[in-house]
Amino acid sequence: AINDVTGATSAMYWTPDGTPHVILQAEEGVLSCEVYDINTQGTAVGAALRYSGGVLTGFMRQADGSMTVWSGIATPAGPFLPFRVTDTGLALGTNLYDGGTWTFDGQRVSRLRVEPDDPDCLGSSPSAINASGDIVGTVNFAGSYRERSSGYLYRQGGVEYIDRVFGPFTELRDVNDAGDVLGFSGGIGLGPLRAFTWRDGVVTPLQQWAPGFGSVPVSINNAGQVIGAVDDGIRWIPVVWIDGVPRD
């Protein structure tokens, strides 16, 4: 997104030559709009905030300019808000009111039941989707933040939970096309959060910047390189992990 002089924002993307392209422009009735992801086919997904009632509306824009817009009737609980889209056009998102993990396959919006049968479960928050349609996210439970959560991997209709890696709090952030899952874990009173990758049941911790430094990863590419940040107790330092070793 980019702001104009009035404070409104227009959704844009930039091609490799540095040329900006407007996908959706703030106009009458629309306060701002943002693009969250765009695939290699030029399909973009994002959200627009409308003046009327402050309604947040999800959208998908095809390369030819055609638009799919979701209002409050897109899901039983509210508008579908997509933030990831694969090259096949499968969109991953959530809804405005009660979260959950939702997809759009080009014809309909569907909810994926990734939550465990647990009375303390509060719902799920999706994070990423890869080219094979594998989805990762986090299941939240009753209690204070970072007291208890579990990562989930949705693959071919089944769900695998990745939890208690370094403590009762585990959050998944990304999954690459090779199936490497990225997350971080810890717990109250258990020291700093630690980043890790997971693949086929094997956890590989990412090296800490220094003893006592917390690590929060953001994304992993198909080469296994990870970007994120480390916390020295004063500030966050952006880093990239290459072969599991952090570099600034």
Side-chain angles (χ1 to χ4, degrees):
I2 187 167
N3 284 29
D4 66 16
V5 293
T6 67
T9 58
S10 296
M12 305 182 70
Y13 73 95
W14 282 259
T15 45
D17 63 2
T19 303
H21 302 267
V22 176
I23 291 179
L24 189 63
Q25 186 147 3
E27 55 190 17
E28 185 176 355
V30 177
L31 176 63
S32 63
C33 39
E34 296 185 15
V35 169
Y36 301 136
D37 197 16
I38 186 169
N39 67 15
T40 59
Q41 312 303 315
T43 300
V45 293
L49 179 63
R50 300 184 179 277
Y51 285 114
S52 179
V55 177
L56 194 62
T57 301
F59 68 84
M60 173 184 282
R61 182 187 184 277
Q62 306 293 338
D64 62 6
S66 59
M67 295 277 292
T68 301
V69 178
W70 292 279
S71 64
I73 62 172
T75 72
F80 175 60
L81 301 178
F83 56 84
R84 292 288 184 271
V85 60
T86 68
D87 285 343
T88 61
L90 179 64
L92 171 68
T94 187
N95 70 53
L96 182 60
Y97 301 124
D98 71 349
T101 300
W102 299 76
T103 59
F104 174 67
D105 61 5
Q107 296 184 343
R108 66 174 185 167
V109 176
S110 303
R111 181 167 190 167
L112 304 180
R113 296 296 176 180
V114 300
E115 298 84 1
D117 186 14
D118 187 315
D120 290 332
C121 179
L122 300 178
S124 64
S125 302
S127 297
I129 185 171
N130 68 10
S132 299
D134 298 338
I135 296 171
V136 296
T138 303
V139 175
N140 304 302
F141 297 89
S144 61
Y145 180 59
R146 293 186 178 172
E147 183 176 345
R148 182 191 175 196
S149 66
S150 173
Y152 73 83
L153 168 64
Y154 178 89
R155 173 177 287 165
Q156 297 179 349
V159 181
E160 183 168 358
Y161 297 104
I162 303 170
D163 59 2
R164 299 187 177 276
V165 177
F166 302 123
F169 170 85
T170 300
E171 184 173 311
L172 301 185
R173 286 293 183 87
D174 201 9
V175 57
N176 65 15
D177 292 341
D180 297 313
V181 174
L182 178 68
F184 61 105
S185 180
I188 299 173
L190 297 177
L193 295 169
R194 296 199 56 191
F196 66 90
T197 60
W198 178 101
R199 186 174 185 180
D200 298 330
V202 178
V203 171
T204 302
L206 298 182
Q207 182 176 309
Q208 291 177 287
W209 182 260
F213 280 45
S215 303
V216 176
V218 175
S219 183
I220 183 170
N221 65 16
N222 289 335
Q225 298 170 329
V226 174
I227 58 170
V230 294
D231 178 18
D232 66 357
I234 300 175
R235 64 195 185 282
W236 287 98
I237 304 170
V239 297
V240 55
W241 281 270
I242 300 176
D243 296 326
V245 179
R247 304 178 185 181
D248 61 2

